[in-house]
Amino acid sequence: MHPPPPSLVFWVNRCPLTAWGYELWRARALSLLSGRRFPLEEEFALLRQALAPVEGGVFLDLGAATGLYARALLRAGAAQVYALDYAPAMLRMAVRKAQGHPGLLPLQARAEAIPLPEAALDGVAVGGSWNEFLQPERVAREVYRVLRPGGRLWVMFAHRTEGLLRRLLERAGLRFPTLCGLQALLEREGFRVEGWREASVGFVMGTKVAPREEGACLAKP
């Protein structure tokens, strides 16, 4: 199967100016999406909880952009974090912001074809890039493949809402899943999952188990 053609979002993310301004947006993103004060440190605490134990582990920041999650995991004691992104400008900024930390391992690749062996990772984190994956089923299979048995998954994503803005962003190449839809997809690919939603942002925590054909939506109220 041939991959979909590159979208407008794909080309925007390859722009050096986007890499320069990315963390200015991310510092405010969850507050805007959730409708409450939601600082990065609170998001990082949820990330660490979802992927625990972090200390000494090997992780993947999938769709890493400038490596916010990668740096948070390294600060928490991770031994190595692969920062995977298709955009060279994003990866250059990730390396720069990591300030030479030997545990940061940049990977220029697509999420649909992760260049790592099977069962290589203790955990995978996705910080908003799930909305950019045009083939989410392939991404979920790749994440399952590279995780060790019992490996953990964390996904933060912009939840589907109705309105003109969503339709315009979809035309640009973004996708907006629902919480239950994303949970069902991950369950089919072999994850045990739970998640919750705050206004326009969703969160899913998963554990690699055995493949399942069907599963209930385990959303927190």
Side-chain angles (χ1 to χ4, degrees):
M1 177 186 295
H2 294 290
S7 65
L8 176 60
V9 169
F10 175 92
W11 294 113
V12 168
N13 282 341
R14 291 178 66 91
C15 174
L17 185 61
T18 304
W20 180 85
Y22 175 77
E23 292 194 14
L24 296 174
W25 150 250
R26 277 293 275 115
R28 298 162 178 79
L30 292 200
S31 296
L32 293 170
L33 291 170
S34 67
R36 67 171 179 87
R37 185 175 180 275
F38 204 135
L40 281 173
E41 281 308 316
E42 182 179 349
E43 183 181 351
F44 294 157
L46 292 170
L47 166 71
R48 293 190 297 268
Q49 177 186 346
L51 299 184
V54 173
E55 189 169 359
V58 180
F59 298 91
L60 170 63
D61 183 355
L62 186 61
T66 58
L68 270 172
Y69 276 4
R71 300 198 311 273
L73 291 169
L74 289 169
R75 288 194 299 269
Q80 294 181 321
V81 183
Y82 293 94
L84 184 151
D85 204 280
Y86 62 79
M90 290 288 194
L91 288 179
R92 287 194 297 270
M93 186 64 73
V95 171
R96 175 183 170 187
K97 287 181 174 292
Q99 298 180 335
H101 196 300
L104 183 80
L105 304 173
L107 287 175
Q108 186 182 353
R110 300 299 297 270
E112 294 84 357
I114 300 170
L116 293 172
E118 292 185 11
L121 303 171
D122 296 299
V124 174
V126 186
S129 294
W130 197 275
N131 295 91
E132 300 176 20
F133 299 154
L134 300 183
Q135 298 175 292
E137 294 84 0
R138 287 187 61 181
V139 175
R141 289 186 206 110
E142 278 291 273
V143 171
Y144 186 90
R145 181 183 66 81
V146 298
L147 278 173
R148 295 171 181 150
R152 303 281 287 165
L153 170 65
W154 164 258
V155 181
M156 182 277 289
F157 66 101
H159 196 281
R160 184 178 184 86
T161 56
E162 297 305 319
L164 177 61
L165 179 59
R166 174 187 60 81
R167 294 193 292 272
L168 291 174
L169 291 173
E170 285 180 338
R171 286 178 177 269
L174 294 179
R175 298 292 182 270
F176 295 92
T178 64
L179 176 59
C180 284
L182 179 52
Q183 288 182 272
L185 184 158
L186 292 171
E187 286 185 334
R188 288 195 299 272
E189 299 302 330
F191 291 92
R192 183 174 64 248
V193 297
E194 62 176 308
W196 69 100
R197 173 187 178 185
E198 293 194 35
S200 297
V201 62
F203 306 92
V204 173
M205 299 187 295
T207 303
K208 177 177 176 176
V209 290
R212 295 172 56 184
E213 291 301 321
E214 297 182 7
C217 176
L218 302 178
K220 294 181 181 179

